[in-house]
Amino acid sequence: MASVKQFQVTFDCAEPERVARFWCEVLGYVVSPPPKGFATWDDFDRSVPPEDRGSWFACIDPSGVGPRLFFQRVPEGKVVKNRLHLDVRVGTGLVGEERLAALEAECARLVPLGAVRVRLLHDGNDSCIVMQDIEGNEFCLD
């Protein structure tokens, strides 16, 4: 039987550090340590050509359970719906109004950080809120 592989989730974006710091706030992640041999991210950025500065950034789950998130600068902007998105599990085990209240509370926390509420999908006891991050990438509060 094959062993489970570690993986990271990669985001194409215009501003890697800004988007990474947004997701740190959403998920309780922390900024990854700077690359080996550098005391700070600023030290690392000063070591690369100007056109490559700020071209990527990463964050990690401090508990080591969740995947690493990697953000890379790309020249093109987002033009269509994501083919893959994150479901942020804030209502696990909850149903009905209790679930909806948990989703709404998390939505209210994320909107001031720059998230955009797109729509509520509600079907009796089950619901989720479709949102966008600060660069328009869709995700769901589930």
Side-chain angles (χ1 to χ4, degrees):
M1 179 176 212
S3 64
V4 174
K5 307 290 189 278
Q6 287 188 345
F7 67 96
Q8 75 177 9
V9 177
T10 300
F11 290 72
D12 290 348
C13 53
E15 298 179 71
E17 182 175 353
R18 181 173 174 250
V19 180
R21 290 188 183 279
F22 170 84
W23 282 102
C24 282
E25 290 294 324
V26 171
L27 300 174
Y29 272 42
V30 296
V31 172
S32 294
K36 192 172 186 138
F38 297 94
T40 67
W41 277 100
D42 286 339
D43 290 344
F44 171 74
D45 266 349
R46 284 191 289 275
S47 76
V48 298
E51 65 273 11
D52 293 335
R53 291 181 184 153
S55 64
W56 64 273
F57 211 79
C59 58
I60 56 173
D61 175 353
S63 72
V65 175
R68 178 178 190 245
L69 302 181
F70 184 81
F71 302 85
Q72 61 188 8
R73 185 172 57 220
V74 296
E76 67 278 356
K78 182 179 177 307
V79 293
V80 297
K81 185 179 182 320
N82 303 8
R83 301 253 342 228
L84 173 82
H85 70 267
L86 300 183
D87 285 344
V88 180
R89 309 296 311 271
V90 297
T92 303
L94 303 176
V95 295
E97 292 304 314
E98 188 178 21
R99 177 181 176 84
L100 189 55
L103 299 177
E104 293 291 356
E106 185 66 0
C107 180
R109 183 181 80 84
L110 299 180
V111 167
L113 299 175
V116 174
R117 180 188 180 119
V118 176
R119 69 182 168 280
L120 169 67
L121 301 174
H122 184 64
D123 181 18
N125 284 330
D126 199 18
S127 54
C128 74
I129 299 176
V130 179
M131 300 192 72
Q132 292 177 336
D133 75 8
I134 58 176
E135 286 200 0
N137 299 302
E138 293 87 8
F139 68 98
C140 291
L141 297 179
D142 177 36

